[in-house]
């Protein structure tokens, strides 16, 4: 191919003497810090200066309210937004020049539609900043070009994914169109459309110039009072321990002086890990080579496209193409990226030599999509370092190890695109203690502390996330990398019974039970890259592949059987991955009153369902809190306490977030408390269904009648000769108990339960069943239909709040104000009669006008309908009252097709809560 031959000639012409073009082996697992210092980057300018100062460009101030470290996209955006929010005594330190390191060579693409409502909002803010706000404020152009974006679909599943994005975009007013191959050809005449299924066209997507954007941001920030200092490398972070034993930031050290500050913002990109080490903070990211090439001039491209040629992503070929003057740039994500093992501090405006063994897959995909490239040469290669993370999401927020140390790094080559939105949220985080939006998916606290320092987990998961970046985002996908990191005592016995595990927070938790035998998760094979032998006859992966659909999966009926067994007989759920904490100490009651929305001033033996809020009244958590008897320690079931002590049971996928939130509140309020974690030391099974009492009465030595063991109470009991804590609770809307069991007793108790339950038709069930059963009953899932940007009043959880008492709690004043003003948004349950699956993100229309989108959706097997929950607004900005809900005609849009929906203000299943009380007689 002429294109490839030209590419080879181009690289050979610029390589150093005796340096081979092709590596001796195709196994490019990692490289050292070898790089070339001169390559052609296709921007009109960069901020590199050959005659740069050898010292700081400005004197260092003695002190600052915050110091931002790193002058790339995130650093400049965070500085700018801090100033806009009123914090102007701030300093940005850049070790070289602005954009050095990773930002300067970015492709600068901005796509508005993503499979996440939060990301759509973040991208919208970036677009506003770079396309209009900065120019209006400074009079300077940022280099924004609105040339539109095309997503290419080569199969139905890919087009279905794009249709989902289109429907979500309607909620946010984002213009997009699904085009036929012929319409696509009209828009992009160079494209080969013979193998197309269709495309998604977004006219107002665009491209950004990194130098122009960062220059304008820094000038806008300095005009507001900020100080930008280049050529000043940070050499240390001063941290001190306060009187309560809390580690806090004190200052930033450089060779040219120290700046006293209580706040450091780590926006150092690839170098963020080293900066974190200076403060004792773990930054779980990894550096890789990331590349694109720029073609020679394509004859007539500017004439043919009198309007600017749209940018294009062909996800199935893992390649993107962008107009670059009178040429095209070509890049993508490959299966075998090169790790940069020894990150060099000298690397500023340098690039690596491109490894064609790795990059060639993008060339082939590009030529297939734009055949003219086969006859076009390469003008430049751009292969630079980028930082990548375990889930391809950034690392943001305050580090759990050190107060005042904030992260704004690990942007997975999307720092320009997400920079404006994330810079604004990070600034709000720093000033107000929390972001405005739901940023949990980016919060460093989403990772368990045991994982964020585990090199295997970081490396394997980051590789998989990189390699799958352009894969279709299916609702029930699971990672294959870094599995089996945390296993509970039931893991093997459930695996032997066909359990298909999900991964959450490092834990292996049951998803559903395959009736064709075991399907274990195997060691990660890097998808066959790096000469690693690819796993064969991999049953787990084969079953996972059957989930890759936007229709009902083949095992839809298997999950139905688990659900209906729970509804009609009895099911056992392994919920051992739950976080299990004890709160004790002299101020435990004060802390519990302040932390929890529900009134926990009940007698010992009580359990309450409650939320924890932030200052704005947003839900940081939902959990159960049980009041225990004080006394000597009998761990793990009871801690030692001479006073008030509480047992907290928290969804395992968010345990670290909860732990950090509680610790932060305890520190801020100076409560004298101890929080201990017993999550690894106890298992937990939940026995649920109409026959649960009959079953457990044969296993436990306690009276389980309503009078002796009411709902929302707990006791230490004996099960098969072992002490366990039994709690009468349900997350599926049935009569049932949870058993919290010391890990050494887990299997004997489980076997006793299953043996006693055989005559009642007992069956194992997993979290796919829990998802269906809980949505049927209207129970919330934190970070789905309950998030930090939702209040309990909006979420229908006012009953969890002790508003009728005089007891103050965190977030109470915000709730009181909201209650007085009326709700401007409200959660609503929807059902549809058509048998079509929904997964969340479907648009909600009221009387033909978009008013929101589904946060969560599942199929409800007992009512035989698809159920969805979403928050709706009044388009007029008025209060969303129950009458507003009742008075509208609703439709849900799934992949461009609208379905008539019924709105419910109560749960469509057992709205009177009879079943959890054990009342089945009327059925």
């Amino acid at each position: 191919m002429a294109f490839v031959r030209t590419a080879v000639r181009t690289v050979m012409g610029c390589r150093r003497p005796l340096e081979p073009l092709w590596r001796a082996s195709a196994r490019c697992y990692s490289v050292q810090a070898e790089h070339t210092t001169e390559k052609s980057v296709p921007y009109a300018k960069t901020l590199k200066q050959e005659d740069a100062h050898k010292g700081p460009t400005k004197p260092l101030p003695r002190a600052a309210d915050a110091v931002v470290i790193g002058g790339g996209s995130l650093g400049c955006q965070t500085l700018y937004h801090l100033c806009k929010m009123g914090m102007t005594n701030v300093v940005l330190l850049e070790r070289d020049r602005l954009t050095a390191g990773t930002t300067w060579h970015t492709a600068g693409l901005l796509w508005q539609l993503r499979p996440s409502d939060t990301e759509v909002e973040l991208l919208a803010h970036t677009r506003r900043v770079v396309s209009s706000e900065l120019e209006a404020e400074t009079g300077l152009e940022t280099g924004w070009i609105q040339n539109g974006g095309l997503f290419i679909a080569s199969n139905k599943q890919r087009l279905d994914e794009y249709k989902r994005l289109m429907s979500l975009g309607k909620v946010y007013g984002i213009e997009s169109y699904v085009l036929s191959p012929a319409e696509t050809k009209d828009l992009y005449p160079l494209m080969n459309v013979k193998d197309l299924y269709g495309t998604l066209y977004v006219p107002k997507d665009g491209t950004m110039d990194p130098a122009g954007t960062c220059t304008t941001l820094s000038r806008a920030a300095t005009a507001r009072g900020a100080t930008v200092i280049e050529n000043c490398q940070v050499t240390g972070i001063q941290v001190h321990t306060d009187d309560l034993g809390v580690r806090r930031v004190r200052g930033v050290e450089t060779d040219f002086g120290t700046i006293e500050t209580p706040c450091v913002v780590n926006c150092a990109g690839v170098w963020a890990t080293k900066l974190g080490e200076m403060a004792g903070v773990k930054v779980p990211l990894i550096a890789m080579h990331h590349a694109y090439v720029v073609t020679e001039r394509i004859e007539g491209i500017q004439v043919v496209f009198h309007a600017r040629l749209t940018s294009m992503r062909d996800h199935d070929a893992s390649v993107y193409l962008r107009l670059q003057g009178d040429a095209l740039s070509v890049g993508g994500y490959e299966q075998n990226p090169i790790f940069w093992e020894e990150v060099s501090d000298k690397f500023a405006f340098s690039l690596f030599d491109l490894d064609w063994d790795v990059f060639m897959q993008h060339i082939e995909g590009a030529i297939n999509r734009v055949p003219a490239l086969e006859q076009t040469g390469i003008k430049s290669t751009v292969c630079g370092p980028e930082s990548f993370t375990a889930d391809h999401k950034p690392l943001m927020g305050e580090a759990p190890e050190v107060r005042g140390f904030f992260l704004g790094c690990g942007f997975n080559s999307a720092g320009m695109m997400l920079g404006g939105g994330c810079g604004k949220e990070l600034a709000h985080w720093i000033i107000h203690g929390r972001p405005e939006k739901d940023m949990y998916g980016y919060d460093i606290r989403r990772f368990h502390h045991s994982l964020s320092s585990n090199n295997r987990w970081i490396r394997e998961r980051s590789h998989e996330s990189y390699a799958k970046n352009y894969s279709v985002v299916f609702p029930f996908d699971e990672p294959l990398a870094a599995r089996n990191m945390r296993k509970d005592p039931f893991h093997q016995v459930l695996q032997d019974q066909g359990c298909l595990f999900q991964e959450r927070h490092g834990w292996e938790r049951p998803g559903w039970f395959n009736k064709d035998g075991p399907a274990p998760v195997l060691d990660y094979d890097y998808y066959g890259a790096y000469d690693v032998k690819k796993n064969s006859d991999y049953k787990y992966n084969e079953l996972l592949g059957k989930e890759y659909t936007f229709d009902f999966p083949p095992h839809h009926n298997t999950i139905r059987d688990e659900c209906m067994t729970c509804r009609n007989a009895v099911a056992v759920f392994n919920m051992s991955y739950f976080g299990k904490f004890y709160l004790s100490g002299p101020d435990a009651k004060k802390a519990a009153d302040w932390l929890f929305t529900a009134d926990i001033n009940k007698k010992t033996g009580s359990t309450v369902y409650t939320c924890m809020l932030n200052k704005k009244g947003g839900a940081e958590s939902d959990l159960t809190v049980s009041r225990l008897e004080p006394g000597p320690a009998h761990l793990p079931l009871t801690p030692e306490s001479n006073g008030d002590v509480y047992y907290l049971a928290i969804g395992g996928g968010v345990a670290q977030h909860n732990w950090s939130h509680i610790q932060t509140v305890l520190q801020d309020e100076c409560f004298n408390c101890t929080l201990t974690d017993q999550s690894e030391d106890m298992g937990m099974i939940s026995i649920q269904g109409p026959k649960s009492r009959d079953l457990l009465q044969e296993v436990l030595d306690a009276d389980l009648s309503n009078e002796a063991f009411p709902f929302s109470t707990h006791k230490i009991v004996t099960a098969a000769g072992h002490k366990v804590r039994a709690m009468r609770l349900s997350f599926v809307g049935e009569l049932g108990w949870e058993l919290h069991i010391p890990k050494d007793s887990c299997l004997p108790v489980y076997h006793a339960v299953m043996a006693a339950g055989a005559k009642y038709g007992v069956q194992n069930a997993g979290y796919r069943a829990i998802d269906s059963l809980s949505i049927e009953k209207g129970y919330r899932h934190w970070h789905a239909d309950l998030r930090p940007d939702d209040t309990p009043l909006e979420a229908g959880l006012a009953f969890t709040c002790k508003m009728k008492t005089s007891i103050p709690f965190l977030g109470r004043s915000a709730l009181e104000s909201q209650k007085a003003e009326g709700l401007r948004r409200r959660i609503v349950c929807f059902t549809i009669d058509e048998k079509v699956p929904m997964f969340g993100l479907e648009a909600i229309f009221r009387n033909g006008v978009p008013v929101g989108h589904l946060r969560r959706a599942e199929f409800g097997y007992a009512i035989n309908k698809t159920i969805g929950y979403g928050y709706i607004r009044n388009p007029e900005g008025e209060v969303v009252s129950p009458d507003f809900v009742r008075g509208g005609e609703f439709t849900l849009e799934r992949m461009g097709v609208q379905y008539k929906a019924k709105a419910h203000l109560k749960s469509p299943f057992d709205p009177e809560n009879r079943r959890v009380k054990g009342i089945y007689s009327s059925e």
Side-chain angles (χ1 to χ4, degrees), residues 621-810:
S621 169
D622 70 331
L623 67 159
T624 60
V625 178
S626 300
R627 191 171 184 184
L628 308 185
E629 288 272 6
H634 294 287
L635 291 173
L637 286 178
T638 53
E640 181 178 2
S641 175
N642 295 320
D644 295 294
V645 58
Y646 304 93
Y647 176 49
L648 284 49
I650 297 162
V654 294
Q656 184 68 54
H657 173 85
N658 279 259
W659 175 273
S660 298
H661 174 75
I662 295 169
Q663 290 282 30
T664 297
V665 173
L666 297 181
Q667 294 164 10
D668 290 346
E669 299 299 324
C670 299
F671 289 132
N672 184 5
C673 293
T674 300
L675 187 67
T676 55
D677 186 356
Q678 295 290 328
S679 303
E680 307 276 353
D681 300 313
M682 280 194 287
M684 173 183 164
I685 56 175
S686 183
I687 298 90
Q688 300 287 326
K691 301 296 183 183
S692 60
R693 178 183 279 133
D694 296 334
L695 185 160
L696 287 173
Q697 197 65 78
E698 299 184 20
V699 177
L700 307 182
D701 67 344
D703 181 354
L704 302 183
S705 65
N706 288 336
E707 296 74 22
F709 210 138
F711 187 72
S712 287
T713 62
H714 64 90
K715 296 178 181 179
I716 298 289
V717 299
T718 300
H722 298 264
K723 292 292 185 182
V724 304
R725 184 175 301 280
M727 293 187 177
R728 187 172 167 190
L729 297 170
S730 179
F731 195 51
V732 296
E734 298 293 337
L735 174 69
W737 280 260
E738 295 175 358
L739 302 183
H740 298 241
I741 314 167
K743 63 181 180 180
D744 291 340
S745 301
C746 283
L747 287 180
V749 172
Y750 170 78
H751 288 308
V753 167
M754 297 306 286
K759 62 185 175 185
Y760 300 109
V762 70
Q763 182 176 335
N764 289 306
Y767 268 84
R768 293 290 290 278
I770 288 178
D771 291 341
S772 171
L773 295 163
S774 62
I775 201 171
E776 233 172 16
K777 189 62 189 72
Y779 294 153
R780 306 289 178 257
H781 277 198
W782 193 84
H783 204 240
D785 40 17
L786 180 66
R787 306 191 311 199
D789 53 344
D790 307 319
T791 72
L793 304 187
E794 296 166 339
L797 298 177
F799 69 90
T800 68
C801 301
K802 52 193 173 216
M803 306 292 282
K804 295 181 180 180
T805 75
S806 60
I807 303 171
F809 60 89
L810 180 59

Side-chain angles (χ1 to χ4, degrees), residues 75-105:
C76 292
Q77 289 278 13
T78 303
L79 185 79
Y80 169 71
H81 283 92
L82 283 170
C83 291
K84 283 198 72 172
M85 293 180 190
M87 183 183 282
T88 57
N89 181 25
V90 289
V91 176
L92 185 149
L93 298 179
E94 165 54 50
R95 64 185 176 88
D96 200 277
R97 309 294 293 189
L98 293 183
T99 75
T102 58
T103 296
W104 73 286
H105 57 72

Side-chain angles (χ1 to χ4, degrees), residues 393-469:
K393 303 291 183 185
L395 308 176
M396 294 180 63
E398 190 174 32
E401 300 96 333
V402 178
R403 300 297 304 273
F405 191 98
F406 285 82
L407 300 177
C409 52
F411 273 78
N412 303 277
S413 196
M416 285 295 296
M417 183 162 47
L418 291 169
C422 288
K424 179 184 178 184
E425 293 305 309
L426 189 52
H428 198 278
W429 219 324
I430 292 164
I431 294 172
H432 300 289
R434 289 299 303 157
E436 285 187 293
K437 300 186 187 304
D438 164 41
M439 297 298 288
Y440 174 74
Y442 291 8
D443 193 334
I444 183 62
R445 300 176 301 172
R446 70 189 184 272
F447 297 138
H448 191 259
H449 63 84
S450 68
L451 303 177
S452 55
S453 60
N454 186 301
N455 290 332
R456 176 201 154 202
W457 178 81
I458 297 169
R459 191 180 195 88
E460 289 188 6
R461 195 61 67 81
S462 298
H463 170 269
E464 184 177 36
S465 296
Y466 182 104
K468 292 182 67 173
N469 184 47

Side-chain angles (χ1 to χ4, degrees), residues 225-244:
T227 302
V228 176
I229 304 175
E230 298 172 279
N231 297 320
C232 185
Q233 183 164 343
V234 171
T235 58
I237 305 294
Q238 293 183 352
V239 177
H240 76 286
T241 303
D242 67 15
D243 293 340
L244 296 177

Side-chain angles (χ1 to χ4, degrees), residues 435-597:
E436 285 187 293
K437 300 186 187 304
D438 164 41
M439 297 298 288
Y440 174 74
Y442 291 8
D443 193 334
I444 183 62
R445 300 176 301 172
R446 70 189 184 272
F447 297 138
H448 191 259
H449 63 84
S450 68
L451 303 177
S452 55
S453 60
N454 186 301
N455 290 332
R456 176 201 154 202
W457 178 81
I458 297 169
R459 191 180 195 88
E460 289 188 6
R461 195 61 67 81
S462 298
H463 170 269
E464 184 177 36
S465 296
Y466 182 104
K468 292 182 67 173
N469 184 47
Y470 278 3
S471 298
V472 177
V473 180
F474 290 108
F476 301 111
D477 198 10
E478 292 291 329
L480 298 176
R483 294 293 295 268
N484 296 316
M485 303 295 290
R486 304 173 76 192
K487 295 188 290 188
D488 62 61
F490 305 104
H491 182 271
Q492 187 62 52
V493 70
L494 296 185
Q495 180 174 284
D496 292 344
Q497 296 178 71
C499 183
L500 265 290
F501 288 95
Q502 301 172 332
E503 186 275 342
R504 299 292 183 273
H505 226 44
W507 285 106
E508 298 293 319
R509 77 172 192 182
W512 57 280
F513 285 80
N514 170 46
K515 296 179 180 179
D516 295 327
V521 179
L522 304 180
D523 289 343
Y524 186 50
D525 62 3
Y526 286 89
Y527 294 91
Y530 315 120
D531 292 340
V532 176
K533 185 178 179 182
K534 194 169 184 178
N535 289 321
S536 59
D537 299 322
Y538 194 176
K539 189 173 181 179
Y540 180 88
N541 195 21
E542 293 171 4
L543 290 168
L544 188 62
K546 294 179 181 180
E547 294 269 21
Y548 294 167
T549 176
F550 292 109
D551 203 341
F552 294 118
H555 45 270
H556 179 71
N557 289 338
T558 302
I559 298 170
R560 178 199 62 195
D561 292 346
E562 295 180 17
C563 291
M564 297 313 294
T565 297
C566 181
R567 290 280 183 243
N568 298 324
V570 59
V572 176
F573 301 90
N574 174 19
M575 304 174 73
S576 297
Y577 90 121
F578 258 50
K580 311 170 194 73
F581 306 153
Y582 289 116
L583 178 65
S584 60
D587 291 339
K589 182 181 180 302
K590 287 183 182 179
D593 282 338
W594 182 247
L595 277 166
F596 307 127
T597 60

